[in-house]
Amino acid sequence: MTARITHWINGKPWDGVASRTGEVYDPATGKVSGRVDFAGQSEVDSAVAAAAAAFPAWRDSSLAKRSNVLFRFRELLAARKGELAAIVTAEHGKVLDDAAGEVQRALEAVEFACGIPHLLKGGFSENVSTKVDVYSIQQPLGVVAVISPFNFPAMVPLWFVPNAIACGNTVVLKPSEKDPSAAVFIAELWAEAGLPDGVLNVVHGDKVAVDGLLEHRAVKAVSFVGSTPIARYVYETGTRHGKRVQALGGAKNHMVVLPDADLDLAADAAVSAGFGSAGERCMAISVVVAVDPIGDELVGKISSRMASLHIGDGRRTGCEMGPLVTRAHRDRVESYVEAGVASGATLAVDGRGHPVDGEAEGFWLGPTLFDRVSTDMSIYTDEIFGPVLSVVRSPSYDDALELVNSNPYGNGTAIFTNDGGAARRFQNEVEVGMVGVNVPIPVPVGYYSFGGWKDSLFGDTHAYGPHGIHFFTRSKVVTNRWLDPSHGGVNLGFPRNV
């Protein structure tokens, strides 16, 4: 019998009957592991109503109370991170060690939010005019929505939810319907930590649930992570309905390798960043830019490392890369391998024949490497979101930089070099939001903020860190004067600071 995964509304599992449901798969076996209830407008309305009802009391709760709940949640998450990682592996397919790393990075964002008493400190100016003081405060928005993707079912919700809650907002979380159980587990931990009912709610579903949140009058802000076309839709729809929106989109991340680089280090990085989590990361390296004359040697080193990768069920010992999340997504990614061959790229490593340590019906596709890729090929232009790595040859640093900057995406990039001057020039000139120097996946730590440029971000606010506090609050300035007996009466002139 398959498990039922349902909504979490007002501090408990929803007890209604869903009009629509969806199948949840174990990607390593290809078998259905559960059915998830899909929210209609009535379920969305119930979740938003619960959040709206909880907002006044949570907004007025002390920073001490909020931080205490956050600290308790952090301790529970740390104690039970193995359980959450196992849930992620079972529904997403990434190997258990990778899932554990995801949860650990989520903890960083929680720990940042635990410092909310300091983060919400405002400014104060005494006696700006005679006996007049001015101070600023940051206040919550109200009900906010978080719409998270399938590739990080634990980490991405925890990029947003802790900061939103810490700032005094109430939340409706809509996780991916492909791997929904992690969100419910997280909601249960929040409840155990003492979060009042209604402050965090979870609704599952598809576009119906998303549109219900984007168009709901009571929802004040929306945080989203996903593909660029959907990010654009979320941003345009949400802002059209008067909401503050941050929508993080897709990527085509380039790794530039200069001739002076340590090619063994660069090859290790390309394989790790290209094929970790089966390439289902918005910060995965999908293009290696080999600056002449190192192309042949670098491709050889990458190819030899790919041959020894252990692909299989992420719960089995020694597996380094798991399956893709669904059969449909695996088939889509595999179609790009066929398209790359048809367009004339050199298929250096064909992942379709890679040995697999898992059941035959799993959603498998081994790591694939194309060489001599040109910029008009679909394997270069499209976000594939799978284990397909392309090598583009470039004659110079300037041409490599232009290649990165002319791309419509601007999420992450990396440069591998032993030349500090070249690295410094690159980080200054490249038009990308997150840059790594000899670091292939430059995801910022929890006290910085995550976000790209160009078509990788819609809105002007990045995720978590200081930007997260800014996004989930609005500022208010108070000008204050307490009158005394020397008050001089009516004055119709424009106020002057004297």
Side-chain angles (χ1 to χ4, degrees):
M1 185 176 179
T2 58
R4 180 196 180 193
I5 303 136
T6 194
H7 319 296
W8 180 272
I9 298 176
N10 205 27
K12 61 182 182 296
W14 182 63
D15 59 2
V17 178
S19 60
R20 295 186 304 132
T21 63
E23 293 177 330
V24 178
Y25 288 88
D26 179 341
T29 66
K31 297 175 182 175
V32 175
S33 60
R35 297 200 69 87
V36 58
D37 292 340
F38 278 15
Q41 190 61 52
S42 62
E43 290 81 35
V44 172
D45 289 345
S46 294
V48 173
F55 173 65
W58 186 245
R59 173 197 60 201
D60 294 338
S61 62
S62 69
L63 292 176
K65 178 178 179 179
R66 289 187 226 159
S67 62
N68 283 339
V69 172
L70 283 154
F71 274 110
R72 286 197 294 269
F73 174 75
R74 188 267 171 207
E75 292 306 306
L76 288 168
L77 183 60
R80 300 181 65 183
K81 60 186 178 182
E83 295 174 60
L84 182 54
I87 291 170
V88 171
T89 294
E91 291 186 352
H92 175 271
K94 65 180 66 177
V95 300
L96 195 56
D97 184 63
D98 191 23
E102 172 183 346
V103 177
Q104 189 61 44
R105 291 305 297 266
L107 272 165
E108 288 184 8
V110 177
E111 288 164 354
F112 177 83
C114 287
I116 196 63
H118 171 75
L119 297 169
L120 285 184
K121 288 195 299 186
F124 186 94
S125 296
E126 184 181 25
N127 219 38
V128 298
S129 183
T130 304
K131 299 181 180 179
V132 175
D133 304 325
V134 177
Y135 59 93
S136 63
I137 54 179
Q138 293 170 276
Q139 294 187 317
L141 308 177
V143 179
V144 300
V146 175
I147 304 168
S148 61
F150 74 80
N151 59 324
F152 287 103
M155 184 177 73
V156 170
L158 292 174
W159 280 358
F160 301 106
V161 171
N163 278 342
I165 288 174
C167 291
N169 301 282
T170 55
V171 181
V172 179
L173 167 64
K174 207 300 285 185
S176 171
E177 68 277 14
K178 296 179 178 67
D179 43 14
S181 296
V184 177
F185 182 86
I186 289 168
E188 291 170 347
L189 290 188
W190 278 107
E192 189 176 344
L195 189 69
D197 293 349
V199 175
L200 174 62
N201 306 274
V202 179
V203 293
H204 303 290
D206 53 8
K207 187 175 184 294
V208 173
V210 170
D211 287 346
L213 292 169
L214 293 177
E215 298 171 5
H216 204 294
R217 292 175 61 86
V219 174
K220 303 303 181 184
V222 178
S223 299
F224 171 86
V225 177
S227 69
T228 285
I230 306 303
R232 182 181 285 110
Y233 171 82
V234 166
Y235 180 78
E236 292 175 351
T237 306
T239 54
R240 188 168 65 249
H241 285 84
K243 304 182 192 319
R244 180 182 292 187
V245 181
Q246 54 179 175
L248 283 68
K252 198 72 179 181
N253 303 315
H254 294 59
M255 182 178 119
V256 176
V257 184
L258 298 187
D260 71 307
D262 181 326
L263 295 190
D264 288 313
L265 176 66
D268 288 341
V271 172
S272 301
F275 305 120
S277 196
E280 293 174 328
R281 295 171 175 161
C282 65
M283 287 293 282
I285 291 296
S286 52
V287 179
V288 173
V289 184
V291 178
D292 289 341
I294 62 169
D296 290 344
E297 185 180 1
L298 182 59
V299 168
K301 289 178 179 291
I302 294 173
S303 299
S304 65
R305 286 159 170 78
M306 291 170 62
S308 63
L309 289 179
H310 189 177
I311 312 303
D313 188 326
R315 293 159 293 207
R316 298 186 182 183
T317 302
C319 288
E320 298 170 285
M321 189 186 102
L324 280 81
V325 68
T326 64
R327 180 175 286 106
H329 184 57
R330 188 273 313 276
D331 293 347
R332 174 185 174 274
V333 174
E334 189 170 338
S335 74
Y336 277 100
V337 180
E338 298 161 1
V341 172
S343 64
T346 301
L347 184 57
V349 179
D350 188 347
R352 293 171 294 185
H354 198 101
V356 171
D357 181 6
E359 295 190 24
E361 295 303 310
F363 309 140
W364 309 109
L365 180 64
T368 295
L369 178 66
F370 282 103
D371 188 16
R372 301 190 181 278
V373 174
S374 61
T375 58
D376 60 342
M377 297 177 180
S378 63
I379 56 173
Y380 178 80
T381 59
D382 297 358
E383 184 184 30
I384 299 174
F385 221 63
V388 179
L389 183 63
S390 296
V391 176
V392 176
R393 308 291 185 105
S394 180
S396 67
Y397 165 88
D398 288 329
D399 285 342
L401 178 69
E402 175 60 25
L403 188 71
V404 179
N405 285 347
S406 62
N407 195 273
Y409 298 107
N411 208 45
T413 190
I415 187 169
F416 277 72
T417 179
N418 286 314
D419 184 337
R424 195 172 190 279
R425 179 183 170 190
F426 182 79
Q427 62 87 23
N428 179 59
E429 296 175 339
V430 73
E431 296 173 7
V432 172
M434 293 171 283
V435 182
V437 176
N438 298 319
V439 175
I441 307 179
V443 175
V445 295
Y447 39 89
Y448 282 81
S449 297
F450 178 104
W453 289 10
K454 299 185 286 190
D455 283 355
S456 294
L457 177 70
F458 298 88
D460 61 356
T461 308
H462 291 182
Y464 67 78
H467 279 223
I469 302 301
H470 171 75
F471 182 79
F472 289 118
T473 58
R474 50 187 173 179
S475 62
K476 181 181 288 183
V477 177
V478 179
T479 303
N480 187 333
R481 179 173 65 184
W482 294 102
L483 302 183
D484 62 30
S486 65
H487 173 57
V490 175
N491 184 343
L492 299 187
F494 191 80
R496 289 183 292 177
N497 297 327
V498 294

